[in-house]
Amino acid sequence: MNTLDTSVILIVDDTPTNLEVLSEALTDAGFEVAVAINGESAIKQVEYDPPMLILLDVMMPGIDGFETCRRLKANPKTKDIPIIFMTALTETTDKVKGLSLGAVDYITKPFQQMEVLARVQIHVKLRQMSATLEEQNIRLQQEIKERTVAETALQKLTQELEQLVTERTQELSQSLHDLQQAQVQLVQSEKLVILGQLVAGIAHEINNPVNFIHANIYHVGHYTNNLLELLQFYEAQVTHFIPELQAKKEKIDLEFLREDLPKIISSMEIGTERISEIVKSLRNFSRHDEAEIKVVDIHEGIDSTLMILQNRLKPRPDYPAIQVFKEYGDLPPVECYAGKMNQVFMNILCNAIDALEKAIDDTNSSTLLPTIWIRTEVLGDDRIAIRIADNGSGMPEEVQQRVFDPFFTTKPTGKGTGLGMSISHQIVSEKQGGSLRCISSPGKGAEFVIEIPIRGKSSEVVTICHAIAETIVPQRSVGLISYERIKSA
Ligand SMILES: Nc1ncnc2c1ncn2[C@@H]1O[C@H](COP(=O)(O)OP(=O)(O)OP(=O)(O)O)[C@@H](O)[C@H]1O
Ligand SMILES: [Mg+2]
């Protein structure tokens, strides 16, 4: 393939005969021929219409062949055109000079036509090949350039894709994690709701009969006293008992009965009072019969929770009793999700009891006086603080960092789910708009500080609802008989 734009061969010679002979020979051989008779006109012609090859005479008037060659080689536009010198000079130095100036070959005069043609054909071929190579080279370079650009683009795309995949994977695992968490929390809250309903239901069912017994026990005591007094009066009047009566008196151990009956009645009274208190605590704890957000006495909530936890605070075979010190401040009624807040107190107090038991197990010491301190106070004019501290095992820094993380637990499998504190944190911060933090160090116990606003967002609505409820809901009846008795008492 001829990749050159031209197939012209330029002959530069000041001798017309030479021009004629060479032109004819080259034309016969199938080349197109152009001529110039001196160096200057040759340079102009080459620049204007570059030939495929130049046959250049050395000895010419004006600038000679060497100078012409030097100028052509100095011009970037013409430097690649092959030049063959034509010379009568036979000195090697002249040939070398020509070649060193950039000529590709030389022909000596007088011309041997066959030789001229052979040399011209070789250089034309070389020129064509070099042009083809050059073109291929350019194409290759272009291709390399394009490939590099494509590769860079591909690399960029791959990186972007990888980044996208990483981000998506992260998003997906985060969503999965959130979903799992939400699911467990849902199950947990569902369980608590069911437990709350159950507790509230039981408390409600027990409430009426207990009130009935409690209200009547006073009368039972009163009647018993009357009967015993009457009996005493009879005894004083009767000096001689018939044997059957005497036998009956001894059989029922009247003296002991007289002494014991008032005691029994009094302990029954204390017992029913206690049941009433427990029922009140259960109802208070579950808060099932109340609107979700309500103005409540925070201390009542803490006390109910403590009441429910009594069993764990009492002395047990391997553990001494846990003392509870309360330093209650003068708190105003606080607007909150009472049931949820009780859940928070329950979680914190359970953890404190666990930590105290752990401290006793770990140290194996009987010197530890397991204690829980509960302090409340008003902060500024719109917040309250509840601090629950224990002198249990405490927490190292790394546990403290993660205490509010969902599913974080240091307790044995089956004992802790690791959700107590994360749910409590969520309730205090998200539902109550407050904060829950923890202060602790290993072996030094732990303190959890809850801070919540006194009035929530929906305070006005709640206050109105509360007022309406108070007005329209009648007082609970305590049972017909006792009600009658109370009226007459
Ligand atoms: N008062 C405390 N003293 C020492 N460590 C505590 C205390 N309260 C919490 N922790 C640490 O924080 C961890 C997380 O508590 P969290 O209540 O969230 O879960 P848990 O008690 O392990 O399980 P559960 O979900 O049953 O409550 C506990 O496992 C414990 O290591
Ligand atoms: Mg817990």
Side-chain angles (χ1 to χ4, degrees), residues 347 350-351 354 411 420-421:
N347 283 335
C350 277
N351 280 348
D354 287 344
K411 293 171 191 171
M421 284 301 97

Side-chain angles (χ1 to χ4, degrees), residues 53-338:
L53 182 88
I54 304 168
L55 291 172
L56 182 60
D57 187 19
V58 176
M59 305 290 278
M60 285 185 296
I63 58 169
D64 65 3
F66 293 137
E67 181 55 22
T68 310
C69 176
R70 203 186 54 70
R71 290 191 193 176
L72 286 171
K73 293 294 167 190
N75 183 348
K77 258 171 90 182
T78 56
K79 72 178 175 37
D80 292 327
I81 303 167
I83 297 172
I84 299 175
F85 275 119
M86 299 180 292
T87 176
L89 301 169
T90 46
E91 287 297 318
T92 312
T93 48
D94 293 319
K95 292 175 189 167
V96 170
K97 188 177 177 187
L99 292 172
S100 67
L101 281 170
V104 291
D105 209 347
Y106 62 88
I107 303 166
T108 44
K109 292 179 186 176
F111 303 123
Q112 295 299 316
Q113 202 168 322
M114 293 298 282
E115 187 196 344
V116 173
L117 274 179
R119 286 185 189 264
V120 166
Q121 268 160 351
I122 283 174
H123 287 293
V124 163
K125 191 141 194 152
L126 278 173
R127 170 75 176 129
Q128 281 174 338
M129 277 164 72
S130 114
T132 312
L133 267 171
E134 215 169 286
E135 200 175 84
Q136 278 177 351
N137 202 17
I138 290 169
R139 221 185 302 134
L140 270 171
Q141 271 179 357
Q142 181 64 23
E143 225 168 86
I144 288 171
K145 216 166 140 189
E146 280 168 11
R147 278 188 189 200
T148 317
V149 170
E151 238 168 65
T152 316
L154 198 74
Q155 246 172 10
K156 204 172 157 226
L157 264 172
T158 315
Q159 271 174 2
E160 280 173 6
L161 203 73
E162 272 170 11
Q163 174 74 14
L164 209 71
V165 169
T166 316
E167 278 171 15
R168 277 286 147 83
T169 314
Q170 266 173 2
E171 273 171 28
L172 275 171
S173 29
Q174 183 61 38
S175 308
L176 184 71
H177 179 77
D178 290 351
L179 237 129
Q180 279 174 338
Q181 202 178 314
Q183 194 187 19
V184 177
Q185 290 195 5
L186 213 72
V187 171
Q188 182 89 351
S189 350
E190 190 63 21
K191 269 193 204 160
L192 280 163
V193 168
I194 292 169
L195 186 73
Q197 284 171 347
L198 196 75
V199 167
I202 293 170
H204 178 77
E205 287 309 312
I206 296 173
N207 195 40
N208 274 351
V210 162
N211 275 343
F212 179 85
I213 296 168
H214 189 62
N216 283 320
I217 218 142
Y218 164 80
H219 301 290
V220 172
H222 187 62
Y223 298 160
T224 310
N225 276 344
N226 286 346
L227 284 173
L228 289 175
E229 271 171 25
L230 183 69
L231 191 65
Q232 202 171 8
F233 184 71
Y234 273 129
E235 279 180 332
Q237 297 306 314
V238 180
T239 46
H240 183 71
F241 284 100
I242 55 165
E244 288 85 349
L245 208 55
Q246 187 62 35
K248 188 72 181 170
K249 218 175 125 189
E250 278 161 23
K251 196 175 173 206
I252 62 169
D253 198 352
L254 186 63
E255 279 319 301
F256 178 75
L257 187 151
R258 201 178 259 151
E259 206 180 301
D260 204 36
L261 195 56
K263 284 189 202 160
I264 289 177
I265 291 168
S266 147
S267 65
M268 279 164 73
E269 211 171 343
I270 294 169
T272 53
E273 251 165 40
R274 179 120 180 87
I275 297 174
S276 297
E277 262 174 53
I278 293 171
V279 167
K280 195 175 150 217
S281 293
L282 286 176
R283 288 162 58 108
N284 206 335
F285 181 77
S286 70
R287 293 276 180 187
H288 182 64
D289 52 350
E290 290 172 359
E292 261 223 291
I293 192 156
K294 196 160 194 277
V295 180
V296 292
D297 177 357
I298 284 288
H299 296 148
E300 228 175 57
I302 301 173
D303 289 343
S304 314
T305 314
L306 284 171
M307 174 76 84
I308 287 167
L309 287 171
Q310 264 318 304
N311 223 27
R312 292 197 65 194
L313 297 168
K314 280 195 308 207
R316 281 177 296 151
D318 290 326
Y319 302 104
I322 296 171
Q323 319 178 74
V324 177
F325 288 115
K326 294 189 248 182
E327 285 173 39
Y328 286 170
D330 193 10
L331 295 191
V334 176
E335 186 185 70
C336 64
Y337 291 87

Side-chain angles (χ1 to χ4, degrees), residues 351 355 390 394-395 399 403 408-411 416-421 446 448:
N351 280 348
D390 62 74
M395 281 172 262
V399 172
V403 69
F408 174 76
T409 181
T410 57
K411 293 171 191 171
T417 62
L419 278 172
M421 284 301 97
F448 283 84

